[in-house]
Amino acid sequence: MAEKSIIIIGAGIAGLSAGCYGQMNGYHTHIFEMHVKPGGLCTSWKRHGYTIDGCLHWLVGSGPGNSFHRIWKELGALQGRRIINHDEFARIEGAAGQVFIVYTDIDRLEQHMKELAPEDKEPIEELTSGMRTLARFDLPIEKAPEVWGLGDGIKTLFQLLPFVGAIRKWASTSSQNFAARFRDPFLRQAMLLLFDYFPDSPMGFMMMNLAWMHAKSAGYPLGGSWEFARSIERRYLGLGGEISYHSPVAKVLVENGRATGVRLADGSEHRADSVISAADGHATIFRMLEGKYTDQKVRSYYESLPVFPPLIHIALGVARTFEEVPPSISGADFPLDKPVIIAGKEYQRLGVHIYNFDSTLAPPGKTVVKVMLPSDYPYWKALQEHPDRYRAEKEEIADKVIALLDRRFPGLAAQVEMRDVATPLTYERYTGNWQGSFEGWLITTKTFGLRMSKTLPGLANFYMCGHWVEPGGGVPPAALSGRNVVQLVCRRDRRTFVTTVP
């Protein structure tokens, strides 16, 4: 079999995955990455002896019993890695001192919710019953839907049949509407905070994740995002793949309606039989391809679909262990004494992630503490022309957050040794992500289950993967997207798609 070549744009999880599966299937792949390290949005960075994790809080497929587990094994991401399965997802605190503990064990969660609000027995049981159903659900991901035959469709239908009702119900039920059914004011507010972190968020999105946590298949990989991404990079290089870092792609080369390679920002050109973009979707379609290969459907995505709002990412290195704080996946969410204005937005509550469960991220006896706040991209874009104001804004935000955390954790302000603030422009600068979004298309009751094409109209030998063709985004869908796109290439070349586990 003659070796064919694939150029992949971007060494995030989707690009690394596409590279690994391309190599497994006899293709010579070359990844061009704009940054100096792998992972894309799945990354960490170091500051003054601390490691700041910028992505993973939980990993679907971290344990057996979930199809993604096989993918992570194929990508070499879990071998030898310790997984922490937390007992708590989060703690939501009320103004009157109430505490809603979101246990990852469904039975324990149900009991706790009934103790908090016995009058809400009906919606509590409806919620937890739905979670138990979804805990048995496993995504049929062996084959990409685009390459299904009749037998695959029938098989998948029978696999999904027991769950169709639950999936339809919870995918179309907004968290706002479901929370309104709770009579207890605190639990109603807590449900909104837990499930409705974005408008029109479908209940099924978070319910599935909690269900997988219950099944011990959505834990935290010790060492965080950087070590996780590096393990996939090692797998890719071990398969014979090639990566060029600090090599931003300026243009996808097209001849006679077929993608033939790329031109880098330095002017050099590189040719291949196929091109896969795992880079930012907007930059790919409208800059690298100059908007020439679109139709109304593709344009409508970028004109009307909501994206995950960009974040202000505040990390602190604190000379303290926080042994009194129970380890949890998403930390604590607590009310403020009075509203605070940060980067032009008002906040009445603050959520804090305390990494007291991962000693690899901080020196002995110390802890990384992180706060993430949704923000507005235009606000930061306007500051871009004023570097002094931009830097001053970041310092002011760090000061405000430290002061707020000091009220909740007395003495913290004096224990802060490191402070780091990343803005939407930071995300844009290092990953190219459109509007500084941290994940791509926002999942809503309207986009839940939406499938996007991995090809563009009128352009052969070109494919896309990653969270700009996977609404809802996330690390597992990114890896699956890279796997699926190689299945499309194999089908085109009449090759049998194969995988291996190291």
Side-chain angles (χ1 to χ4, degrees):
M1 183 186 296
E3 185 178 57
K4 290 193 172 185
S5 57
I6 304 174
I7 283 175
I8 299 167
I9 307 171
I13 298 303
L16 290 171
S17 172
C20 286
Y21 288 110
Q23 292 294 137
M24 290 181 211
N25 284 276
Y27 293 92
H28 172 72
T29 66
H30 190 159
I31 300 176
F32 292 95
E33 165 59 41
M34 65 183 290
H35 197 14
V36 297
K37 62 182 184 179
L41 289 161
C42 184
T43 190
S44 306
W45 56 98
K46 294 186 181 295
R47 293 287 186 275
H48 306 298
Y50 291 87
T51 299
I52 302 164
D53 196 288
C55 180
L56 288 174
H57 296 116
W58 69 89
L59 181 71
V60 174
S62 64
N66 184 290
S67 296
F68 280 109
H69 187 70
R70 174 181 171 179
I71 292 179
W72 298 132
K73 287 286 191 177
E74 292 169 350
L75 295 176
L78 293 181
Q79 286 85 332
R81 187 170 308 283
R82 180 185 165 198
I83 300 295
I84 300 174
N85 291 298
H86 290 293
D87 293 330
E88 297 182 13
F89 177 76
R91 289 191 171 218
I92 298 172
E93 301 174 7
Q98 316 99 309
V99 179
F100 173 35
I101 303 173
V102 187
Y103 291 108
T104 56
D105 180 272
I106 297 173
D107 295 338
R108 194 174 180 190
L109 174 64
E110 179 179 325
Q111 180 183 350
H112 174 60
M113 292 178 74
K114 287 179 177 178
E115 290 170 354
L116 285 175
E119 67 271 30
D120 287 314
K121 177 177 181 291
E122 183 180 344
I124 290 170
E125 290 183 351
E126 186 178 354
L127 175 70
T128 53
S129 175
M131 286 182 180
R132 290 187 185 95
T133 299
L134 294 174
R136 302 192 305 272
F137 174 68
D138 191 20
L139 291 168
I141 61 176
E142 173 58 28
K143 282 188 177 181
E146 295 89 342
V147 302
W148 281 356
L150 178 61
D152 298 310
I154 294 173
K155 178 182 176 182
T156 302
L157 178 62
F158 276 100
Q159 285 180 304
L160 294 178
L161 210 53
F163 307 100
V164 168
I167 292 171
R168 281 182 177 172
K169 173 183 177 178
W170 296 111
S172 61
T173 301
S174 77
S175 45
Q176 287 181 326
N177 289 340
F178 188 71
R181 294 178 52 191
F182 285 79
R183 288 182 284 176
D184 179 80
F186 170 62
L187 198 53
R188 186 190 315 127
Q189 180 194 38
M191 292 297 294
L192 280 170
L193 290 168
L194 174 63
F195 287 97
D196 189 34
Y197 50 100
F198 299 115
D200 198 30
S201 173
M203 287 289 293
F205 181 57
M206 183 55 73
M207 285 174 66
M208 279 186 175
N209 284 300
L210 287 171
W212 286 324
M213 290 171 196
H214 170 82
K216 307 298 183 188
S217 192
Y220 169 81
L222 193 71
S225 304
W226 168 232
E227 289 301 324
F228 181 79
R230 283 188 64 207
S231 65
I232 303 177
E233 179 203 38
R234 286 192 292 269
R235 170 68 166 147
Y236 173 64
L237 295 174
L239 286 164
E242 184 178 357
I243 306 181
S244 294
Y245 289 110
H246 199 57
S247 300
V249 172
K251 183 179 178 63
V252 175
L253 302 176
V254 179
E255 297 174 8
N256 301 318
R258 306 171 75 86
T260 59
V262 297
R263 180 184 300 141
L264 303 186
D266 64 9
S268 63
E269 295 187 355
H270 304 262
R271 304 281 172 166
D273 296 300
S274 302
V275 176
I276 297 173
S277 177
D280 173 72
H282 191 274
T284 297
I285 295 169
F286 298 104
R287 178 170 59 80
M288 298 178 200
L289 287 166
E290 301 174 336
K292 294 178 179 178
Y293 303 96
T294 65
D295 55 19
Q296 183 52 43
K297 179 183 284 188
V298 173
R299 289 191 296 273
S300 71
Y301 294 154
Y302 292 89
E303 291 168 359
S304 60
L305 283 188
V307 301
F308 278 91
L311 297 174
I312 310 170
H313 187 283
I314 306 104
L316 307 172
V318 184
R320 179 170 172 175
T321 59
F322 293 92
E323 292 178 1
E324 75 282 7
V325 178
S328 70
I329 297 167
S330 291
D333 186 290
F334 60 93
L336 303 177
D337 297 335
K338 59 181 180 179
V340 62
I341 303 295
I342 295 177
K345 287 177 67 74
E346 181 180 282
Y347 298 90
Q348 298 183 0
R349 302 182 62 89
L350 202 66
V352 57
H353 301 246
I354 298 174
Y355 286 83
N356 53 357
F357 51 85
D358 191 344
S359 61
T360 70
L361 304 183
K366 302 178 181 183
T367 311
V368 172
V369 173
K370 188 172 76 175
V371 171
M372 297 185 297
L373 302 172
S375 190
D376 291 319
Y377 177 75
Y379 179 91
W380 292 98
K381 196 66 176 175
L383 284 178
Q384 195 171 37
E385 303 300 319
H386 309 280
D388 290 342
R389 285 172 52 194
Y390 177 77
R391 287 191 291 269
E393 183 76 13
K394 290 173 64 175
E395 289 300 316
E396 181 181 336
I397 289 170
D399 288 340
K400 285 183 177 180
V401 168
I402 290 170
L404 293 170
L405 290 176
D406 189 68
R407 294 177 196 167
R408 176 62 181 78
F409 304 100
L412 178 142
Q415 297 164 334
V416 173
E417 299 182 331
M418 178 277 296
R419 46 199 271 167
D420 179 89
V421 178
T423 75
L425 298 188
T426 313
Y427 283 80
E428 183 181 56
R429 184 166 67 253
Y430 285 106
T431 70
N433 231 29
W434 188 45
Q435 298 183 14
S437 171
F438 69 92
E439 206 160 307
W441 304 121
L442 180 64
I443 193 164
T444 69
T445 55
K446 298 177 182 64
T447 60
F448 193 92
L450 174 65
R451 294 204 58 79
M452 293 180 172
S453 174
K454 293 180 174 61
T455 61
L456 291 176
L459 184 57
N461 296 353
F462 179 82
Y463 305 86
M464 293 178 65
C465 64
H467 58 221
W468 294 106
V469 291
E470 307 289 353
V475 173
L480 177 60
S481 185
R483 190 181 196 267
N484 285 350
V485 83
V486 173
Q487 291 190 27
L488 297 184
V489 178
C490 287
R491 181 184 65 173
R492 181 202 66 190
D493 294 336
R494 294 182 173 85
R495 296 188 180 191
T496 300
F497 179 77
V498 298
T499 65
T500 60
V501 175

